[in-house]
mmCIF file of all heavy atoms in Angstrom:
data_model
loop_
_atom_site.group_PDB
_atom_site.id
_atom_site.type_symbol
_atom_site.label_atom_id
_atom_site.label_comp_id
_atom_site.label_asym_id
_atom_site.label_seq_id
_atom_site.Cartn_x
_atom_site.Cartn_y
_atom_site.Cartn_z
ATOM 1 N N GLY M 540 0.813 -1.215 0.048
ATOM 2 C CA GLY M 540 -0.040 -0.035 -0.035
ATOM 3 C C GLY M 540 0.875 1.305 0.014
ATOM 4 O O GLY M 540 2.086 1.203 -0.281
ATOM 5 N N ILE M 541 0.271 2.359 0.359
ATOM 6 C CA ILE M 541 0.950 3.611 0.436
ATOM 7 C C ILE M 541 1.621 3.739 1.742
ATOM 8 O O ILE M 541 1.060 3.640 2.700
ATOM 9 C CB ILE M 541 -0.056 4.825 0.174
ATOM 10 C CG1 ILE M 541 -0.648 4.575 -1.156
ATOM 11 C CG2 ILE M 541 0.673 6.108 0.247
ATOM 12 C CD1 ILE M 541 -1.857 5.674 -1.467
ATOM 13 N N GLN M 542 2.894 4.152 1.643
ATOM 14 C CA GLN M 542 3.639 4.320 2.960
ATOM 15 C C GLN M 542 3.054 5.501 3.800
ATOM 16 O O GLN M 542 2.808 6.562 3.282
ATOM 17 C CB GLN M 542 5.083 4.602 2.765
ATOM 18 C CG GLN M 542 5.898 4.607 4.018
ATOM 19 C CD GLN M 542 7.413 4.711 3.680
ATOM 20 O OE1 GLN M 542 7.879 4.742 2.567
ATOM 21 N NE2 GLN M 542 8.147 4.620 4.708
ATOM 22 N N THR M 543 2.857 5.228 5.079
ATOM 23 C CA THR M 543 2.290 6.270 5.997
ATOM 24 C C THR M 543 3.340 6.550 7.093
ATOM 25 O O THR M 543 3.603 5.492 7.794
ATOM 26 C CB THR M 543 0.977 5.802 6.560
ATOM 27 O OG1 THR M 543 0.121 5.528 5.573
ATOM 28 C CG2 THR M 543 0.432 6.821 7.487
ATOM 29 N N ALA M 544 3.883 7.642 7.081
ATOM 30 C CA ALA M 544 4.903 7.972 8.064
ATOM 31 C C ALA M 544 4.362 8.343 9.433
ATOM 32 O O ALA M 544 5.026 8.249 10.402
ATOM 33 C CB ALA M 544 5.931 9.038 7.524
ATOM 34 N N VAL M 545 3.090 8.827 9.405
ATOM 35 C CA VAL M 545 2.512 9.308 10.613
ATOM 36 C C VAL M 545 1.642 8.245 11.296
ATOM 37 O O VAL M 545 0.646 7.726 10.614
ATOM 38 C CB VAL M 545 1.649 10.556 10.367
ATOM 39 C CG1 VAL M 545 1.026 11.071 11.641
ATOM 40 C CG2 VAL M 545 2.544 11.630 9.753
ATOM 41 N N LEU M 546 1.905 7.924 12.551
ATOM 42 C CA LEU M 546 1.174 6.951 13.160
ATOM 43 C C LEU M 546 0.051 7.304 14.087
ATOM 44 O O LEU M 546 -0.982 6.528 14.273
ATOM 45 C CB LEU M 546 2.153 6.041 14.119
ATOM 46 C CG LEU M 546 2.953 5.036 13.356
ATOM 47 C CD1 LEU M 546 4.062 4.429 14.406
ATOM 48 C CD2 LEU M 546 2.278 3.892 12.842
ATOM 49 N N SER M 547 0.145 8.620 14.547
ATOM 50 C CA SER M 547 -0.935 9.068 15.553
ATOM 51 C C SER M 547 -2.291 8.998 15.147
ATOM 52 O O SER M 547 -3.198 8.668 15.889
ATOM 53 C CB SER M 547 -0.520 10.395 16.010
ATOM 54 O OG SER M 547 -0.335 11.349 14.993
ATOM 55 N N PRO M 548 -2.628 9.247 13.725
ATOM 56 C CA PRO M 548 -4.048 9.092 13.408
ATOM 57 C C PRO M 548 -4.587 7.602 13.506
ATOM 58 O O PRO M 548 -5.799 7.379 13.688
ATOM 59 C CB PRO M 548 -4.023 9.534 11.935
ATOM 60 C CG PRO M 548 -2.888 10.435 11.712
ATOM 61 C CD PRO M 548 -1.955 9.839 12.618
ATOM 62 N N VAL M 549 -3.643 6.711 13.361
ATOM 63 C CA VAL M 549 -4.077 5.253 13.494
ATOM 64 C C VAL M 549 -4.096 4.994 14.940
ATOM 65 O O VAL M 549 -5.128 4.309 15.452
ATOM 66 C CB VAL M 549 -3.028 4.328 12.834
ATOM 67 C CG1 VAL M 549 -3.317 2.864 13.114
ATOM 68 C CG2 VAL M 549 -2.940 4.626 11.337
ATOM 69 N N LEU M 550 -3.171 5.415 15.762
ATOM 70 C CA LEU M 550 -3.174 5.141 17.240
ATOM 71 C C LEU M 550 -4.364 5.661 17.956
ATOM 72 O O LEU M 550 -4.886 5.092 18.925
ATOM 73 C CB LEU M 550 -1.891 5.597 17.823
ATOM 74 C CG LEU M 550 -0.591 4.916 17.387
ATOM 75 C CD1 LEU M 550 0.640 5.606 18.067
ATOM 76 C CD2 LEU M 550 -0.669 3.505 17.639
ATOM 77 N N VAL M 551 -4.767 6.958 17.681
ATOM 78 C CA VAL M 551 -5.901 7.572 18.265
ATOM 79 C C VAL M 551 -7.143 6.789 18.081
ATOM 80 O O VAL M 551 -7.921 6.518 18.953
ATOM 81 C CB VAL M 551 -6.124 9.073 17.860
ATOM 82 C CG1 VAL M 551 -6.420 9.191 16.370
ATOM 83 C CG2 VAL M 551 -7.117 9.666 18.607
ATOM 84 N N ALA M 552 -7.328 6.280 16.886
ATOM 85 C CA ALA M 552 -8.521 5.487 16.568
ATOM 86 C C ALA M 552 -8.553 4.128 17.248
ATOM 87 O O ALA M 552 -9.588 3.721 17.768
ATOM 88 C CB ALA M 552 -8.715 5.253 15.069
ATOM 89 N N VAL M 553 -7.419 3.463 17.354
ATOM 90 C CA VAL M 553 -7.292 2.201 18.066
ATOM 91 C C VAL M 553 -7.545 2.323 19.591
ATOM 92 O O VAL M 553 -8.349 1.680 20.116
ATOM 93 C CB VAL M 553 -5.919 1.573 17.786
ATOM 94 C CG1 VAL M 553 -5.719 0.388 18.712
ATOM 95 C CG2 VAL M 553 -5.709 1.165 16.369
ATOM 96 N N VAL M 554 -6.941 3.299 20.223
ATOM 97 C CA VAL M 554 -7.112 3.560 21.557
ATOM 98 C C VAL M 554 -8.469 3.934 21.929
ATOM 99 O O VAL M 554 -9.149 3.437 22.830
ATOM 100 C CB VAL M 554 -6.130 4.693 22.143
ATOM 101 C CG1 VAL M 554 -6.429 5.002 23.531
ATOM 102 C CG2 VAL M 554 -4.713 4.234 21.994
ATOM 103 N N ALA M 555 -9.109 4.826 21.103
ATOM 104 C CA ALA M 555 -10.520 5.271 21.361
ATOM 105 C C ALA M 555 -11.398 4.139 21.196
ATOM 106 O O ALA M 555 -12.385 3.992 22.031
ATOM 107 C CB ALA M 555 -10.865 6.390 20.434
ATOM 108 N N GLN M 556 -11.259 3.193 20.246
ATOM 109 C CA GLN M 556 -12.039 1.994 20.011
ATOM 110 C C GLN M 556 -12.007 1.032 21.217
ATOM 111 O O GLN M 556 -13.013 0.577 21.688
ATOM 112 C CB GLN M 556 -11.795 1.395 18.658
ATOM 113 C CG GLN M 556 -12.671 0.277 18.353
ATOM 114 C CD GLN M 556 -14.165 0.828 18.015
ATOM 115 O OE1 GLN M 556 -14.291 1.495 17.030
ATOM 116 N NE2 GLN M 556 -15.106 0.424 18.830
ATOM 117 N N ILE M 557 -10.815 0.772 21.682
ATOM 118 C CA ILE M 557 -10.654 -0.094 22.837
ATOM 119 C C ILE M 557 -11.377 0.342 23.931
ATOM 120 O O ILE M 557 -12.094 -0.362 24.739
ATOM 121 C CB ILE M 557 -9.091 -0.411 23.014
ATOM 122 C CG1 ILE M 557 -8.450 -1.022 21.841
ATOM 123 C CG2 ILE M 557 -8.984 -1.223 24.374
ATOM 124 C CD1 ILE M 557 -6.912 -0.997 21.946
ATOM 125 N N LEU M 558 -11.104 1.694 24.314
ATOM 126 C CA LEU M 558 -11.732 2.214 25.499
ATOM 127 C C LEU M 558 -13.289 2.305 25.387
ATOM 128 O O LEU M 558 -14.002 2.060 26.291
ATOM 129 C CB LEU M 558 -11.115 3.481 25.810
ATOM 130 C CG LEU M 558 -9.566 3.614 26.191
ATOM 131 C CD1 LEU M 558 -9.164 4.922 26.468
ATOM 132 C CD2 LEU M 558 -9.406 2.658 27.451
ATOM 133 N N ALA M 559 -13.730 2.628 24.234
ATOM 134 C CA ALA M 559 -15.131 2.677 23.970
ATOM 135 C C ALA M 559 -15.727 1.326 24.135
ATOM 136 O O ALA M 559 -16.899 1.112 24.699
ATOM 137 C CB ALA M 559 -15.446 3.305 22.560
ATOM 138 N N ASP M 560 -15.192 0.303 23.604
ATOM 139 C CA ASP M 560 -15.587 -1.098 23.750
ATOM 140 C C ASP M 560 -15.642 -1.543 25.058
ATOM 141 O O ASP M 560 -16.538 -2.216 25.590
ATOM 142 C CB ASP M 560 -14.801 -2.069 22.820
ATOM 143 C CG ASP M 560 -14.948 -1.804 21.392
ATOM 144 O OD1 ASP M 560 -15.927 -1.200 20.994
ATOM 145 O OD2 ASP M 560 -14.084 -2.347 20.575
ATOM 146 N N LEU M 561 -14.624 -1.129 25.975
ATOM 147 C CA LEU M 561 -14.658 -1.509 27.375
ATOM 148 C C LEU M 561 -15.766 -0.727 28.139
ATOM 149 O O LEU M 561 -16.532 -1.395 28.894
ATOM 150 C CB LEU M 561 -13.251 -1.143 27.984
ATOM 151 C CG LEU M 561 -13.128 -1.451 29.442
ATOM 152 C CD1 LEU M 561 -13.369 -2.975 29.781
ATOM 153 C CD2 LEU M 561 -11.707 -1.010 29.946
ATOM 154 N N ALA M 562 -15.897 0.465 27.918
ATOM 155 C CA ALA M 562 -16.926 1.333 28.659
ATOM 156 C C ALA M 562 -18.292 0.779 28.380
ATOM 157 O O ALA M 562 -19.222 0.862 29.181
ATOM 158 C CB ALA M 562 -16.766 2.740 28.328
ATOM 159 N N SER M 563 -18.600 0.445 27.047
ATOM 160 C CA SER M 563 -20.007 0.095 26.570
ATOM 161 C C SER M 563 -20.373 -1.314 26.895
ATOM 162 O O SER M 563 -21.553 -1.686 26.804
ATOM 163 C CB SER M 563 -20.076 0.358 25.086
ATOM 164 O OG SER M 563 -19.214 -0.527 24.425
ATOM 165 N N GLY M 564 -19.430 -2.127 27.355
ATOM 166 C CA GLY M 564 -19.599 -3.546 27.658
ATOM 167 C C GLY M 564 -19.544 -4.392 26.518
ATOM 168 O O GLY M 564 -19.819 -5.573 26.652
ATOM 169 N N ARG M 565 -18.990 -3.974 25.338
ATOM 170 C CA ARG M 565 -18.884 -4.855 24.237
ATOM 171 C C ARG M 565 -17.865 -6.049 24.517
ATOM 172 O O ARG M 565 -18.101 -7.138 24.047
ATOM 173 C CB ARG M 565 -18.431 -4.019 23.057
ATOM 174 C CG ARG M 565 -18.416 -4.824 21.708
ATOM 175 C CD ARG M 565 -17.914 -3.971 20.568
ATOM 176 N NE ARG M 565 -17.902 -4.707 19.365
ATOM 177 C CZ ARG M 565 -17.397 -4.332 18.184
ATOM 178 N NH1 ARG M 565 -16.716 -3.184 18.187
ATOM 179 N NH2 ARG M 565 -17.457 -4.992 17.141
ATOM 180 N N ILE M 566 -16.834 -5.718 25.140
ATOM 181 C CA ILE M 566 -15.862 -6.805 25.426
ATOM 182 C C ILE M 566 -16.425 -7.866 26.347
ATOM 183 O O ILE M 566 -16.369 -9.027 26.136
ATOM 184 C CB ILE M 566 -14.546 -6.207 26.023
ATOM 185 C CG1 ILE M 566 -13.902 -5.222 25.150
ATOM 186 C CG2 ILE M 566 -13.610 -7.301 26.422
ATOM 187 C CD1 ILE M 566 -12.673 -4.545 25.649
ATOM 188 N N ARG M 567 -17.123 -7.313 27.385
ATOM 189 C CA ARG M 567 -17.884 -8.226 28.301
ATOM 190 C C ARG M 567 -18.806 -9.161 27.707
ATOM 191 O O ARG M 567 -19.013 -10.253 27.956
ATOM 192 C CB ARG M 567 -18.426 -7.485 29.448
ATOM 193 C CG ARG M 567 -19.103 -8.258 30.447
ATOM 194 C CD ARG M 567 -19.650 -7.470 31.642
ATOM 195 N NE ARG M 567 -20.718 -6.553 31.324
ATOM 196 C CZ ARG M 567 -20.525 -5.279 31.187
ATOM 197 N NH1 ARG M 567 -19.305 -4.620 31.542
ATOM 198 N NH2 ARG M 567 -21.554 -4.364 30.792
ATOM 199 N N ALA M 568 -19.631 -8.536 26.735
ATOM 200 C CA ALA M 568 -20.672 -9.272 26.095
ATOM 201 C C ALA M 568 -20.119 -10.291 25.032
ATOM 202 O O ALA M 568 -20.813 -11.293 24.810
ATOM 203 C CB ALA M 568 -21.587 -8.311 25.365
ATOM 204 N N GLY M 569 -18.989 -10.018 24.509
ATOM 205 C CA GLY M 569 -18.446 -10.946 23.367
ATOM 206 C C GLY M 569 -18.827 -10.414 22.109
ATOM 207 O O GLY M 569 -20.013 -10.089 21.810
ATOM 208 N N GLY M 570 -17.904 -10.403 21.157
ATOM 209 C CA GLY M 570 -18.111 -9.861 19.868
ATOM 210 C C GLY M 570 -19.098 -10.611 19.006
ATOM 211 O O GLY M 570 -19.973 -10.037 18.362
ATOM 212 N N GLY M 571 -19.013 -11.885 19.052
ATOM 213 C CA GLY M 571 -19.873 -12.675 18.078
ATOM 214 C C GLY M 571 -21.364 -12.615 18.344
ATOM 215 O O GLY M 571 -22.205 -12.457 17.425
ATOM 216 N N ARG M 572 -21.727 -12.679 19.619
ATOM 217 C CA ARG M 572 -23.138 -12.833 19.997
ATOM 218 C C ARG M 572 -23.977 -11.499 19.743
ATOM 219 O O ARG M 572 -25.193 -11.514 19.391
ATOM 220 C CB ARG M 572 -23.358 -13.102 21.463
ATOM 221 C CG ARG M 572 -22.935 -14.476 21.864
ATOM 222 C CD ARG M 572 -23.051 -14.715 23.275
ATOM 223 N NE ARG M 572 -22.177 -14.050 24.076
ATOM 224 C CZ ARG M 572 -22.222 -13.732 25.336
ATOM 225 N NH1 ARG M 572 -23.181 -14.266 26.061
ATOM 226 N NH2 ARG M 572 -21.338 -13.057 26.071
ATOM 227 N N LEU M 573 -23.254 -10.325 19.799
ATOM 228 C CA LEU M 573 -23.934 -9.143 19.619
ATOM 229 C C LEU M 573 -23.438 -8.362 18.380
ATOM 230 O O LEU M 573 -23.734 -7.129 18.195
ATOM 231 C CB LEU M 573 -23.765 -8.164 20.830
ATOM 232 C CG LEU M 573 -24.335 -8.690 22.111
ATOM 233 C CD1 LEU M 573 -24.077 -7.748 23.267
ATOM 234 C CD2 LEU M 573 -25.820 -8.960 22.019
ATOM 235 N N ALA M 574 -22.950 -9.061 17.422
ATOM 236 C CA ALA M 574 -22.381 -8.425 16.285
ATOM 237 C C ALA M 574 -23.425 -7.676 15.446
ATOM 238 O O ALA M 574 -23.412 -6.559 15.007
ATOM 239 C CB ALA M 574 -21.727 -9.458 15.326
ATOM 240 N N ARG M 575 -24.573 -8.266 15.282
ATOM 241 C CA ARG M 575 -25.660 -7.669 14.652
ATOM 242 C C ARG M 575 -26.239 -6.400 15.235
ATOM 243 O O ARG M 575 -26.525 -5.440 14.676
ATOM 244 C CB ARG M 575 -26.924 -8.693 14.348
ATOM 245 C CG ARG M 575 -27.990 -8.150 13.527
ATOM 246 C CD ARG M 575 -28.996 -9.205 13.171
ATOM 247 N NE ARG M 575 -28.412 -10.347 12.575
ATOM 248 C CZ ARG M 575 -29.025 -11.592 12.341
ATOM 249 N NH1 ARG M 575 -30.297 -11.574 12.669
ATOM 250 N NH2 ARG M 575 -28.385 -12.580 11.818
ATOM 251 N N TRP M 576 -26.319 -6.442 16.510
ATOM 252 C CA TRP M 576 -26.855 -5.320 17.368
ATOM 253 C C TRP M 576 -25.749 -4.252 17.292
ATOM 254 O O TRP M 576 -26.229 -3.069 17.058
ATOM 255 C CB TRP M 576 -27.013 -5.808 18.765
ATOM 256 C CG TRP M 576 -27.387 -4.683 19.813
ATOM 257 C CD1 TRP M 576 -28.588 -4.035 19.772
ATOM 258 C CD2 TRP M 576 -26.767 -4.127 20.807
ATOM 259 N NE1 TRP M 576 -28.617 -3.060 20.690
ATOM 260 C CE2 TRP M 576 -27.544 -3.116 21.363
ATOM 261 C CE3 TRP M 576 -25.510 -4.442 21.439
ATOM 262 C CZ2 TRP M 576 -27.098 -2.391 22.471
ATOM 263 C CZ3 TRP M 576 -25.080 -3.682 22.532
ATOM 264 C CH2 TRP M 576 -25.916 -2.690 23.139
ATOM 265 N N TRP M 577 -24.526 -4.465 17.311
ATOM 266 C CA TRP M 577 -23.545 -3.425 17.090
ATOM 267 C C TRP M 577 -23.523 -2.853 15.808
ATOM 268 O O TRP M 577 -23.280 -1.621 15.703
ATOM 269 C CB TRP M 577 -22.078 -4.039 17.523
ATOM 270 C CG TRP M 577 -21.941 -4.083 18.952
ATOM 271 C CD1 TRP M 577 -21.987 -5.256 19.758
ATOM 272 C CD2 TRP M 577 -21.604 -3.039 19.918
ATOM 273 N NE1 TRP M 577 -21.837 -4.926 21.070
ATOM 274 C CE2 TRP M 577 -21.532 -3.672 21.204
ATOM 275 C CE3 TRP M 577 -21.395 -1.682 19.690
ATOM 276 C CZ2 TRP M 577 -21.333 -2.875 22.315
ATOM 277 C CZ3 TRP M 577 -21.098 -0.945 20.814
ATOM 278 C CH2 TRP M 577 -21.063 -1.491 22.091
ATOM 279 N N ARG M 578 -23.794 -3.619 14.801
ATOM 280 C CA ARG M 578 -23.925 -3.026 13.435
ATOM 281 C C ARG M 578 -25.071 -2.037 13.383
ATOM 282 O O ARG M 578 -24.822 -0.965 12.751
ATOM 283 C CB ARG M 578 -24.092 -4.140 12.381
ATOM 284 C CG ARG M 578 -22.719 -4.850 11.974
ATOM 285 C CD ARG M 578 -22.972 -5.643 10.753
ATOM 286 N NE ARG M 578 -23.885 -6.655 10.884
ATOM 287 C CZ ARG M 578 -23.501 -7.937 11.235
ATOM 288 N NH1 ARG M 578 -22.264 -8.232 11.496
ATOM 289 N NH2 ARG M 578 -24.547 -8.858 11.261
ATOM 290 N N ARG M 579 -26.209 -2.345 13.936
ATOM 291 C CA ARG M 579 -27.242 -1.404 14.070
ATOM 292 C C ARG M 579 -26.898 -0.110 14.811
ATOM 293 O O ARG M 579 -27.275 1.081 14.425
ATOM 294 C CB ARG M 579 -28.523 -2.098 14.626
ATOM 295 C CG ARG M 579 -29.190 -3.128 13.812
ATOM 296 C CD ARG M 579 -30.480 -3.294 14.284
ATOM 297 N NE ARG M 579 -30.674 -3.834 15.695
ATOM 298 C CZ ARG M 579 -30.642 -5.083 15.944
ATOM 299 N NH1 ARG M 579 -30.592 -6.029 15.065
ATOM 300 N NH2 ARG M 579 -30.662 -5.508 17.218
ATOM 301 N N ARG M 580 -26.100 -0.222 15.817
ATOM 302 C CA ARG M 580 -25.665 0.909 16.639
ATOM 303 C C ARG M 580 -24.754 1.831 15.850
ATOM 304 O O ARG M 580 -24.872 3.012 15.886
ATOM 305 C CB ARG M 580 -24.972 0.419 17.920
ATOM 306 C CG ARG M 580 -25.819 -0.113 18.933
ATOM 307 C CD ARG M 580 -25.077 -0.743 20.118
ATOM 308 N NE ARG M 580 -24.140 0.063 20.819
ATOM 309 C CZ ARG M 580 -24.541 0.946 21.810
ATOM 310 N NH1 ARG M 580 -25.753 0.944 22.363
ATOM 311 N NH2 ARG M 580 -23.746 1.729 22.444
ATOM 312 N N ARG M 581 -23.900 1.184 15.087
ATOM 313 C CA ARG M 581 -22.980 1.889 14.170
ATOM 314 C C ARG M 581 -23.838 2.731 13.143
ATOM 315 O O ARG M 581 -23.549 3.890 12.953
ATOM 316 C CB ARG M 581 -22.121 0.969 13.374
ATOM 317 C CG ARG M 581 -21.022 0.490 14.343
ATOM 318 C CD ARG M 581 -19.783 -0.199 13.453
ATOM 319 N NE ARG M 581 -18.850 -0.776 14.258
ATOM 320 C CZ ARG M 581 -18.750 -2.052 14.608
ATOM 321 N NH1 ARG M 581 -19.796 -2.885 14.093
ATOM 322 N NH2 ARG M 581 -17.861 -2.668 15.215
ATOM 323 N N LEU M 582 -24.834 2.190 12.568
ATOM 324 C CA LEU M 582 -25.708 2.881 11.595
ATOM 325 C C LEU M 582 -26.315 4.054 12.257
ATOM 326 O O LEU M 582 -26.560 5.121 11.563
ATOM 327 C CB LEU M 582 -26.755 1.922 11.027
ATOM 328 C CG LEU M 582 -26.240 0.782 10.071
ATOM 329 C CD1 LEU M 582 -27.318 -0.101 9.695
ATOM 330 C CD2 LEU M 582 -25.492 1.408 8.865
ATOM 331 N N ARG M 583 -26.663 4.074 13.524
ATOM 332 C CA ARG M 583 -27.283 5.218 14.235
ATOM 333 C C ARG M 583 -26.252 6.143 14.743
ATOM 334 O O ARG M 583 -26.650 7.214 15.242
ATOM 335 C CB ARG M 583 -28.193 4.644 15.381
ATOM 336 C CG ARG M 583 -29.276 3.819 14.984
ATOM 337 C CD ARG M 583 -30.329 3.717 16.127
ATOM 338 N NE ARG M 583 -29.668 3.048 17.291
ATOM 339 C CZ ARG M 583 -29.776 1.766 17.538
ATOM 340 N NH1 ARG M 583 -30.394 0.985 16.715
ATOM 341 N NH2 ARG M 583 -29.233 1.271 18.587
ATOM 342 N N GLY M 584 -24.983 5.930 14.441
ATOM 343 C CA GLY M 584 -23.980 6.797 14.891
ATOM 344 C C GLY M 584 -23.549 6.748 16.379
ATOM 345 O O GLY M 584 -22.718 7.444 16.820
#
């Protein structure tokens, strides 16, 4: 792919996603069982 020298835009998204998943209970619930529900949540923003 195209070389990307800047990592922070990637790191900010990764860290935010991990912490959001922990806060919302997604990790506790398990990814597979609630995948459809989470897709609907994404569509609603």
Side-chain angles (χ1 to χ4, degrees):
I541 300 173
Q542 184 172 7
T543 301
V545 181
L546 282 174
S547 54
V549 177
L550 295 176
V551 65
V553 170
V554 171
Q556 187 68 65
I557 294 168
L558 295 179
D560 289 344
L561 178 61
S563 64
R565 185 181 184 192
I566 300 177
R567 181 175 64 251
R572 288 179 294 163
L573 296 182
R575 186 173 301 174
W576 180 64
W577 280 100
R578 280 196 294 270
R579 289 199 299 266
R580 286 169 63 87
R581 286 194 184 96
L582 290 175
R583 292 196 299 266

